[in-house]
Amino acid sequence: MDKGRQMGLAATIAVVTGESIALGIFLTPAAMARSLGSPVLLAAVWCGMGLMTMCGALCYSELAVHFPVTGGEYVYLREGFGGRIAFLFGWMSAAVMDPGLAAALAVGATPYVLALLGFSTIGFWARMQWLIPVLILVGLAVLNYVGTNLSRRLMATANLLKIAVLVSLVAWAWISGHATVARLMPLTERRAGSEPIFAAIAGATVSAFFSFGGWWEAGKVAGEVRNPRRNLPLAFTCGVLLVTGVYLLVSFAFLSVVPLERIVSNTAFVAQFGQALFGVMGGRVLSGCVLLSVLGGLMALTMAAPRVYYAMAKDGAFFAPFGRLHPRFGTPANAVLLQTGLALLVLSFGAFDRILSFIIFSAVCFLALSVTSLFRLREPVDRWWFPAAPVIFLAGCVAINLMILMHDPVPALIGLAIVLCGDPVRRYFFSKSSVTTSTLSQQISL
């Protein structure tokens, strides 16, 4: 067996589902339902985003089969558009997206850790709660530093358990009798207080994209997947189908327990749902479920993200120490330390919601460019879904970015400016670097 490829199908599916099913599933359905005001519209947005994501997953599976090496989008963009665009993606990942997401998820987990342990959010624990996200990030860094084999097992277990817990919540809602179809009726009529239809659909679509975000992470660990030609396409498609199914089930279970008219806010909604199902202990039970989801997402992110910096450094497009494997553990240890260090730095800034707003627009741009790489492959794509899938996905990306620009353009443009700042960095530090096909050949032969 190839020692460089230790991840099987279950672990790869866990990477696809892990970052997608995180904090968003407990928060976005409430905001989406409140603004849309109709269960049918809510289902339509989830299914529409599921269709777009499935099209993207088919495209990414083909790219991953063509380039079954560590690096994901960085490799696809490098092969399709050259080193400059690939570097800008890596710069966005290293400087903004990955540490911002890791920090935001760690901070998002903090109140649920306190609630699960029964600690108050005022007084002593309010002053000490900054330590919780630090411990979470450092703990995950140690796991990924010590070895991919250990971290992938824990990640796969956490993420598959997370899906089981969510499905169990749905089942218990109906078995216990707390969920009733009557609370969903009428399915098509919009409730009083709903937002104007276009603004509601735009906001819900962006929220749904955020909730699905992360399905593409499996491409970053493709160099560590066994039998990539079989497992990568299965992982992408099965993972996206799982996420879509879980989101539909959980959203309708939420609304069948807590009717639309009673939804006040995202955080209150989680408490309402937990109390309805489990009584006075509901808050702790739901806090445990949320925490499991967040930690599973963080595990997937902190495993996949350092592989981008590693791939860049192997190309000579990033600082050389981050392209070295640990002599004992065989992990991109320096890249793991970089990702964790930047995430800890972002913790000191505090503006996590703004960081997330900054990155979504740029992230969608790079996702679209990665899929466009399919049209630039040396060998034409011969799949039943081509070119329909990339066309649908690209149209969805354009629609999402237009909605973001119309809804709140300032964070999007600031995020884009940060990404473009990577170009002078590349010119100054890496102007003499060049990417050769030998790098790719060596990685494929691992």
Side-chain angles (χ1 to χ4, degrees), residues 43-63:
V45 171
W46 279 130
C47 289
M49 187 54 61
L51 173 63
M52 174 187 166
T53 303
M54 178 54 70
C55 291
L58 290 171
C59 297
Y60 263 61
S61 67
E62 184 69 13
L63 287 167

Side-chain angles (χ1 to χ4, degrees), residues 402-415:
L402 286 176
M403 290 177 186
I404 292 173
L405 289 176
M406 288 185 286
H407 182 67
D408 190 6
V410 174
L413 296 177
I414 292 176

Side-chain angles (χ1 to χ4, degrees), residues 341-391:
L342 290 174
L344 292 173
L345 180 63
V346 173
L347 284 178
S348 66
F349 297 159
F352 308 110
D353 54 342
R354 281 175 284 169
I355 291 171
L356 290 176
S357 298
F358 294 162
I359 67 173
I360 289 177
F361 182 86
S362 299
V364 172
C365 289
F366 282 111
L367 285 172
L369 280 173
S370 296
V371 168
T372 306
S373 300
L374 280 175
F375 296 99
R376 301 172 67 90
L377 294 176
R378 295 175 183 174
E379 300 177 4
V381 177
D382 184 19
R383 301 289 184 181
W384 63 267
W385 45 260
F386 188 86
V391 169

Side-chain angles (χ1 to χ4, degrees), residues 18 23 28 67 88 118 160 204 207 338 371 379 385 389 395:
L23 190 62
T28 54
F67 309 113
L88 289 178
L160 295 176
S207 295
L338 173 65
V371 168
E379 300 177 4
W385 45 260

